[in-house]
Protein backbone atom coordinates (compact mmCIF):
# COMPACT_ATOMS: atom_id res chain seq x y z
CA UNK A 1 0.00 0.00 0.00
CA UNK A 2 1.22 3.49 -0.84
CA UNK A 3 -0.19 6.11 1.51
CA UNK A 4 2.17 8.88 0.42
CA UNK A 5 0.21 10.30 -2.50
CA UNK A 6 1.06 13.85 -3.59
CA UNK A 7 4.57 13.48 -2.20
CA UNK A 8 7.37 15.79 -3.31
CA UNK A 9 10.62 13.91 -3.83
CA UNK A 10 12.77 17.02 -4.12
CA UNK A 11 15.76 17.20 -1.84
CA UNK A 12 15.02 13.85 -0.21
CA UNK A 13 17.04 13.45 2.96
CA UNK A 14 16.86 17.13 3.83
CA UNK A 15 13.76 18.63 5.42
CA UNK A 16 10.85 16.19 5.59
CA UNK A 17 7.31 17.32 6.36
CA UNK A 18 4.06 15.46 7.04
CA UNK A 19 0.73 17.20 6.43
CA UNK A 20 -2.39 15.48 7.77
CA UNK A 21 -5.34 16.90 5.88
CA UNK A 22 -3.20 17.88 2.92
CA UNK A 23 -6.11 18.21 0.49
CA UNK A 24 -8.00 20.82 2.53
CA UNK A 25 -7.73 24.56 1.93
CA UNK A 26 -5.10 25.25 4.57
CA UNK A 27 -3.45 21.83 4.30
CA UNK A 28 -2.96 22.10 0.54
CA UNK A 29 -1.54 25.62 0.86
CA UNK A 30 0.86 24.45 3.58
CA UNK A 31 1.97 21.56 1.42
CA UNK A 32 2.66 23.81 -1.58
CA UNK A 33 4.53 26.31 0.58
CA UNK A 34 6.76 23.62 2.06
CA UNK A 35 7.48 22.14 -1.37
CA UNK A 36 8.46 25.61 -2.58
CA UNK A 37 10.97 25.72 0.27
CA UNK A 38 12.52 22.45 -0.95
CA UNK A 39 10.93 20.15 1.63
CA UNK A 40 10.09 16.52 0.97
CA UNK A 41 6.35 16.57 1.73
CA UNK A 42 4.06 13.66 2.53
CA UNK A 43 0.32 14.36 2.51
CA UNK A 44 -2.36 12.22 4.13
CA UNK A 45 -5.92 13.04 3.12
CA UNK A 46 -9.31 11.46 2.57
CA UNK A 47 -9.48 12.52 -1.08
CA UNK A 48 -6.16 11.01 -2.17
CA UNK A 49 -5.70 8.13 0.29
CA UNK A 50 -9.08 7.35 1.79
CA UNK A 51 -7.51 8.50 5.03
CA UNK A 52 -10.02 9.08 7.85
CA UNK A 53 -8.55 10.80 10.89
CA UNK A 54 -11.45 9.62 13.06
CA UNK A 55 -10.95 5.93 12.21
CA UNK A 56 -8.34 4.35 14.55
CA UNK A 57 -7.61 1.45 12.18
CA UNK A 58 -7.05 3.68 9.16
CA UNK A 59 -4.89 6.06 11.16
CA UNK A 60 -2.75 3.16 12.38
CA UNK A 61 -2.50 1.67 8.88
CA UNK A 62 -1.29 4.92 7.34
CA UNK A 63 0.97 5.99 10.19
CA UNK A 64 2.58 2.54 10.43
CA UNK A 65 3.39 2.78 6.72
CA UNK A 66 5.52 5.88 7.28
CA UNK A 67 9.21 5.51 8.01
CA UNK A 68 12.13 7.74 8.84
CA UNK A 69 11.70 11.00 10.69
CA UNK A 70 9.95 14.28 9.95
CA UNK A 71 11.16 17.72 10.98
CA UNK A 72 7.74 19.32 10.46
CA UNK A 73 4.33 17.77 11.13
CA UNK A 74 1.09 19.70 10.75
CA UNK A 75 -2.37 18.34 11.51
CA UNK A 76 -4.79 20.40 9.43
CA UNK A 77 -7.90 18.20 9.46
CA UNK A 78 -11.16 19.40 10.97
CA UNK A 79 -14.87 20.02 10.52
CA UNK A 80 -17.14 22.83 11.62
CA UNK A 81 -20.18 20.56 11.78
CA UNK A 82 -21.33 17.25 10.26
CA UNK A 83 -22.33 17.31 6.60
CA UNK A 84 -25.64 19.12 6.19
CA UNK A 85 -25.51 20.60 9.70
CA UNK A 86 -24.36 23.90 11.20
CA UNK A 87 -22.87 24.84 14.58
CA UNK A 88 -25.43 25.02 17.39
CA UNK A 89 -26.61 28.50 18.30
CA UNK A 90 -28.33 27.48 21.54
CA UNK A 91 -28.51 24.68 24.10
CA UNK A 92 -31.74 23.28 22.67
CA UNK A 93 -29.95 22.56 19.38
CA UNK A 94 -27.44 20.18 20.97
CA UNK A 95 -27.60 16.74 19.34
CA UNK A 96 -25.56 13.83 20.72
CA UNK A 97 -24.70 12.29 17.35
CA UNK A 98 -23.75 15.69 15.93
CA UNK A 99 -21.49 16.39 18.91
CA UNK A 100 -19.84 12.97 18.82
CA UNK A 101 -18.96 13.37 15.13
CA UNK A 102 -17.38 16.78 15.66
CA UNK A 103 -15.42 15.55 18.67
CA UNK A 104 -14.31 12.46 16.74
CA UNK A 105 -12.78 14.50 13.93
CA UNK A 106 -11.51 17.56 15.79
CA UNK A 107 -10.27 16.07 19.07
CA UNK A 108 -9.97 12.29 18.89
CA UNK A 109 -8.47 12.46 15.40
CA UNK A 110 -5.48 14.62 16.38
CA UNK A 111 -5.02 12.42 19.47
CA UNK A 112 -4.77 9.34 17.24
CA UNK A 113 -2.13 11.04 15.09
CA UNK A 114 -0.15 12.11 18.15
CA UNK A 115 -0.34 8.58 19.54
CA UNK A 116 1.63 7.25 16.56
CA UNK A 117 3.90 10.27 16.10
CA UNK A 118 6.84 9.99 18.54
CA UNK A 119 8.74 7.35 16.54
CA UNK A 120 8.54 9.64 13.49
CA UNK A 121 10.23 12.59 15.23
CA UNK A 122 14.01 12.99 15.48
CA UNK A 123 15.40 11.88 18.80
CA UNK A 124 17.77 14.80 19.26
CA UNK A 125 17.38 17.24 16.37
CA UNK A 126 14.76 20.00 16.27
CA UNK A 127 11.27 19.11 15.12
CA UNK A 128 7.99 21.00 15.22
CA UNK A 129 4.42 19.67 15.38
CA UNK A 130 1.55 22.07 14.80
CA UNK A 131 -2.05 21.00 15.37
CA UNK A 132 -4.50 23.48 13.90
CA UNK A 133 -7.25 24.12 16.43
CA UNK A 134 -9.09 27.46 16.75
CA UNK A 135 -9.41 30.49 18.98
CA UNK A 136 -13.04 29.56 19.66
CA UNK A 137 -11.67 26.59 21.59
CA UNK A 138 -10.32 29.04 24.16
CA UNK A 139 -12.36 29.04 27.37
CA UNK A 140 -10.84 32.33 28.48
CA UNK A 141 -11.60 34.04 25.17
CA UNK A 142 -15.23 32.90 24.89
CA UNK A 143 -17.50 35.95 25.15
CA UNK A 144 -20.16 35.09 22.57
CA UNK A 145 -21.28 31.55 23.47
CA UNK A 146 -22.85 29.15 20.99
CA UNK A 147 -21.08 26.62 18.76
CA UNK A 148 -21.08 24.07 21.58
CA UNK A 149 -19.69 21.07 19.71
CA UNK A 150 -17.05 22.97 17.78
CA UNK A 151 -15.86 24.94 20.82
CA UNK A 152 -15.75 21.80 22.96
CA UNK A 153 -13.87 19.81 20.32
CA UNK A 154 -11.22 22.49 19.88
CA UNK A 155 -10.85 22.97 23.65
CA UNK A 156 -10.35 19.20 23.95
CA UNK A 157 -7.81 19.26 21.12
CA UNK A 158 -5.89 22.04 22.89
CA UNK A 159 -5.67 19.96 26.07
CA UNK A 160 -4.56 16.91 24.09
CA UNK A 161 -1.82 18.92 22.37
CA UNK A 162 -0.60 20.42 25.64
CA UNK A 163 -0.51 17.02 27.35
CA UNK A 164 1.21 15.33 24.40
CA UNK A 165 3.85 18.08 24.37
CA UNK A 166 4.76 17.24 27.97
CA UNK A 167 5.16 13.54 27.24
CA UNK A 168 7.02 13.94 23.96
CA UNK A 169 9.50 16.41 25.48
CA UNK A 170 10.67 13.81 28.00
CA UNK A 171 12.53 11.85 25.30
CA UNK A 172 12.78 14.45 22.54
CA UNK A 173 14.07 17.61 24.15
CA UNK A 174 14.10 19.55 20.88
CA UNK A 175 10.59 18.60 19.78
CA UNK A 176 8.11 21.49 19.78
CA UNK A 177 4.41 20.60 19.91
CA UNK A 178 1.87 23.44 19.71
CA UNK A 179 -1.77 24.23 19.03
CA UNK A 180 -2.28 26.78 16.26
CA UNK A 181 -5.02 29.29 15.51
CA UNK A 182 -4.79 30.10 11.78
CA UNK A 183 -7.21 33.01 11.76
CA UNK A 184 -10.27 33.03 9.51
CA UNK A 185 -9.08 31.58 6.21
CA UNK A 186 -10.93 31.78 2.91
CA UNK A 187 -11.84 28.13 2.32
CA UNK A 188 -15.06 26.12 1.83
CA UNK A 189 -14.90 25.64 5.61
CA UNK A 190 -15.67 29.36 6.15
CA UNK A 191 -17.87 29.94 3.09
CA UNK A 192 -20.97 30.47 5.23
CA UNK A 193 -19.46 33.40 7.12
CA UNK A 194 -19.49 36.26 4.59
CA UNK A 195 -19.24 38.99 7.21
CA UNK A 196 -15.83 37.94 8.43
CA UNK A 197 -12.52 39.29 7.16
CA UNK A 198 -10.69 36.33 5.65
CA UNK A 199 -7.10 35.54 4.79
CA UNK A 200 -6.19 33.75 1.56
CA UNK A 201 -4.93 30.18 2.13
CA UNK A 202 -1.52 31.04 0.65
CA UNK A 203 -1.07 33.91 3.10
CA UNK A 204 -2.37 31.85 6.02
CA UNK A 205 0.09 29.07 5.22
CA UNK A 206 2.99 31.52 5.04
CA UNK A 207 1.95 33.00 8.39
CA UNK A 208 1.74 29.62 10.11
CA UNK A 209 5.06 28.38 8.72
CA UNK A 210 6.72 31.60 9.83
CA UNK A 211 5.38 31.06 13.34
CA UNK A 212 6.54 27.44 13.43
CA UNK A 213 9.99 28.35 12.18
CA UNK A 214 10.37 30.93 14.95
CA UNK A 215 9.49 28.64 17.86
CA UNK A 216 12.03 27.08 20.20
CA UNK A 217 11.85 24.25 22.70
CA UNK A 218 10.53 26.55 25.43
CA UNK A 219 7.43 27.10 23.27
CA UNK A 220 6.32 23.49 23.37
CA UNK A 221 2.84 22.95 24.76
CA UNK A 222 1.68 26.47 23.92
CA UNK A 223 -1.35 27.77 22.01
CA UNK A 224 -0.41 30.47 19.50
CA UNK A 225 -2.10 32.31 16.67
CA UNK A 226 -1.05 33.06 13.08
CA UNK A 227 0.91 36.10 14.27
CA UNK A 228 2.80 34.15 16.94
CA UNK A 229 0.79 35.65 19.81
CA UNK A 230 -0.23 33.46 22.72
CA UNK A 231 -3.95 32.59 22.86
CA UNK A 232 -5.48 32.16 26.35
CA UNK A 233 -6.55 28.64 27.26
Amino acid sequence: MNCTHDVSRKNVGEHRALIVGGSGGIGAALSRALVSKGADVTNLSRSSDGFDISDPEKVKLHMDHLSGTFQTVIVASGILAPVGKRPEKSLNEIDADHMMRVLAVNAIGPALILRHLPRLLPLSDRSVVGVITARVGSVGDNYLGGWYSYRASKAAANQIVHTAAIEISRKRKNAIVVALHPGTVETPFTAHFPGHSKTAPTEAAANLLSVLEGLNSSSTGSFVDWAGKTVPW
Side-chain angles (χ1 to χ4, degrees), residues 114 133 137 153-166 179 221 233:
L114 290 166
T133 65
S153 69
K154 293 301 187 178
N158 287 340
Q159 181 68 281
I160 289 164
V161 171
H162 183 75
T163 304
I166 294 170
W233 295 113

Side-chain angles (χ1 to χ4, degrees), residues 142-179:
N142 182 0
Y143 301 102
L144 297 176
W147 291 30
Y148 288 90
S149 297
Y150 188 70
R151 286 185 185 276
S153 69
K154 293 301 187 178
N158 287 340
Q159 181 68 281
I160 289 164
V161 171
H162 183 75
T163 304
I166 294 170
E167 179 176 347
I168 289 172
S169 69
R170 290 173 183 152
K171 292 185 178 180
R172 289 163 174 77
K173 300 298 183 183
N174 292 312
I176 304 159
V177 182
V178 296

